[in-house]
Amino acid sequence: MPNPVTVPESPVHPAIRLPRHDGLLLLKRLARPGPVYVDPAHRALYFLLPPTTRATPTAAVPGWPIHRVAPPPMARTAPPGPYWLIPPTATDRFTHPRTLRSVLQRSTPPRTRDAAPGMPVVLYLATPPDRDPAPWLSACREIAAHQRRHVVAELTDSTTRPSRPRLRQARHLITTGHARGIVTHNRAMLATTPEAHADLEWWADRHAASILTVWSPEPGTPVHDTLTGRNGTLIAIEEHHTAWLRAPRGGREWTTIPHALAPAENHDRPSNTRRVRP
């Protein structure tokens, strides 16, 4: 494999931006893809184009606007933050617009493909041993049906078991092609450390797997920070993976990663959730 090289010329480059899932499917159709980087904050993939590509009404890839982007540092090949999925090399520094146009024109439009019924998914929960998982599974089934997903398995772990064998089983179903995504109540059920959350994002990118959550807190929602074990009120979530929290009875604010948030004690019923897209 050729050694990575510095992206030439200007640090700002034209690129095509695709939703993460659609971008990963496009990669499978490209015989020789050029450099691609992931933006986890926007769940998107960027395909770098030659610097002479212009964002005009007659763009080289009709239907896909040209973005001017600043790629991540060459050494960054894993999260957190934007990172290279396919770094530039001496022989592949860009993807030619004609190549992208040809593949995109042969492909089903992304929204139609994403909405196709029957996408196989796994329902997964990690719950305390004294809690009945049935209400959570019911909420996950509801959103899976709403998104027209086909449930191939329903798996539950206890939060007292750090090994999470059912989560390993869910990931195995995806890596072997039996499922293409996970539906869960909140992201904190899938990982317990920042490193584990970053690994999950990397793994999902590699396998074109979607992760759909039932619960998404809004500002003012009582939440539990699984990284610190503290309860607080959500103030805001910034674009670059930072959640600001306030202690219930005042005190100093603190920050955590949004994926570490879970419903606070006594505020974790399915009726307090809202549906969100992956």
Side-chain angles (χ1 to χ4, degrees), residues 151-173:
V151 178
V152 297
E154 297 182 358
L155 306 172
T156 303
D157 276 323
S158 170
T159 53
T160 60
R161 300 187 65 182
S163 60
R164 303 287 173 89
R166 300 304 182 191
L167 179 58
R168 291 202 306 271
Q169 183 180 348
R171 292 176 65 153
H172 178 72
L173 287 171

Side-chain angles (χ1 to χ4, degrees), residues 63-209:
W64 297 94
I66 306 297
H67 296 264
R68 309 296 296 189
V69 300
M74 289 300 304
R76 185 172 296 166
T77 57
Y83 62 94
W84 289 103
L85 191 63
I86 303 178
T89 67
T91 55
D92 292 303
R93 297 185 297 172
F94 307 104
T95 299
H96 199 285
R98 283 200 303 268
T99 304
L100 283 176
R101 181 174 64 238
S102 175
V103 176
L104 287 170
Q105 288 177 343
R106 294 197 309 267
S107 304
T108 305
R111 290 182 181 177
T112 303
R113 182 172 58 246
D114 189 59
M119 175 179 172
V121 296
V122 179
L123 306 189
Y124 174 80
L125 299 175
T127 59
D130 59 343
R131 296 299 300 270
D132 180 8
W136 308 121
L137 283 173
S138 178
C140 290
R141 291 188 197 109
E142 183 181 346
I143 195 172
H146 179 76
Q147 297 284 341
R148 299 197 291 175
R149 307 299 203 249
H150 169 61
V151 178
V152 297
E154 297 182 358
L155 306 172
T156 303
D157 276 323
S158 170
T159 53
T160 60
R161 300 187 65 182
S163 60
R164 303 287 173 89
R166 300 304 182 191
L167 179 58
R168 291 202 306 271
Q169 183 180 348
R171 292 176 65 153
H172 178 72
L173 287 171
I174 290 173
T175 56
T176 56
H178 293 87
R180 289 174 52 196
I182 295 175
V183 179
T184 187
H185 183 265
N186 59 79
R187 285 284 190 122
M189 291 186 172
L190 299 176
T192 56
T193 66
E195 294 77 14
H197 282 291
D199 175 73
L200 179 68
E201 287 291 328
W202 180 87
W203 171 84
D205 285 337
R206 292 290 178 180
H207 296 283

Side-chain angles (χ1 to χ4, degrees), residues 32-51:
R32 187 175 177 177
V36 178
Y37 77 88
V38 181
D39 182 358
H42 295 93
R43 303 181 65 79
L45 265 64
Y46 287 86
F47 292 73
L48 260 61
L49 304 175

